[in-house]
Amino acid sequence: MASDEMIKVVGDRFCVPYTMELLVKKKIQSFSNSHYDVFDTTGNILLQVNGGIWNLQKKRVMKDPAGLPVVTLREKEWQMHEGESRHCLCSVKRSGGFNIKSNLDVHLASPYKDAACDFRVTGSLASLSIKVRRGNSIIAEVTHSYTWGSYKGKECFQIKVYPEVDYAFIVALLVIIHENDNA
């Protein structure tokens, strides 16, 4: 990434001055519940995301290791809310037109916004690669590793988040694109 500007959406405590490698493990816990665990390269848990797969609210709650809510994802054009509040941080929707890839446009919540998106997510889990861009700069990359466990409801993702980019925001985008690809 060329810019030295901090990209924080969820919060600056999730922005670090170095490239961050994350491992995300998703597990379907029951017929109606999925769970994501996010680890750093040393195996420390950084975030957890819980939520029902087929619940009526289509809501996911991301929590820190202490169990405190960080962000809530709600599927109504997918909105990201601070903690468990109704304060909207951004909205995420499919890019216009028919695409084989699940391209998403991310619009930050602001009363002064123009029509252009702030971030774009390109790729799909089926292609095993996702890139998150701000303008022409790639700010994060996700790779999906299909294994035998993928067919048993367990999946793994590797995320590379570039310096000064909010990794909680990137994990939330991964959850949203995963839910869109599996809808």
Side-chain angles (χ1 to χ4, degrees), residues 52-75:
I53 300 170
W54 293 288
N55 65 13
L56 295 175
Q57 297 175 354
K58 283 279 194 169
K59 177 174 110 173
R60 307 284 182 275
V61 179
M62 179 185 293
K63 296 181 178 181
D64 66 13
L68 299 173
V70 173
V71 72
T72 300
L73 307 171
R74 290 184 176 86
E75 184 183 5

Side-chain angles (χ1 to χ4, degrees), residues 34-174:
S34 63
H35 181 83
Y36 297 81
D37 286 320
V38 182
F39 301 92
D40 64 13
T41 56
T42 60
N44 295 315
I45 190 144
L46 301 174
L47 298 166
Q48 295 180 315
V49 182
N50 289 307
I53 300 170
W54 293 288
N55 65 13
L56 295 175
Q57 297 175 354
K58 283 279 194 169
K59 177 174 110 173
R60 307 284 182 275
V61 179
M62 179 185 293
K63 296 181 178 181
D64 66 13
L68 299 173
V70 173
V71 72
T72 300
L73 307 171
R74 290 184 176 86
E75 184 183 5
K76 181 181 177 184
E77 216 181 58
W78 282 111
Q79 292 181 342
M80 196 177 303
H81 297 267
E82 183 176 15
E84 289 186 291
S85 74
R86 288 288 187 186
H87 178 254
C88 186
L89 299 172
C90 66
S91 62
V92 182
K93 59 184 174 182
R94 283 193 192 269
S95 297
F98 174 76
N99 292 314
I100 294 173
K101 294 182 176 184
S102 299
N103 296 332
L104 301 175
D105 291 338
V106 181
H107 298 269
L108 295 176
S110 170
Y112 309 106
K113 287 301 300 160
D114 57 15
C117 67
D118 295 289
F119 302 94
R120 177 157 284 149
V121 181
T122 59
S124 70
L125 297 179
S127 70
L128 305 179
S129 175
I130 299 167
K131 292 185 180 7
V132 181
R133 300 175 191 279
R134 182 178 194 184
N136 292 325
S137 298
I138 296 173
I139 62 169
E141 300 177 65
V142 178
T143 55
H144 183 217
S145 304
Y146 277 107
T147 64
W148 179 248
S150 299
Y151 302 104
K152 296 180 186 178
K154 298 177 182 177
E155 298 181 73
C156 286
F157 308 92
Q158 293 177 320
I159 303 177
K160 180 189 278 187
V161 182
Y162 291 105
E164 302 297 345
V165 175
D166 185 334
Y167 67 83
F169 170 60
I170 301 301
V171 170
L173 291 177
L174 166 66

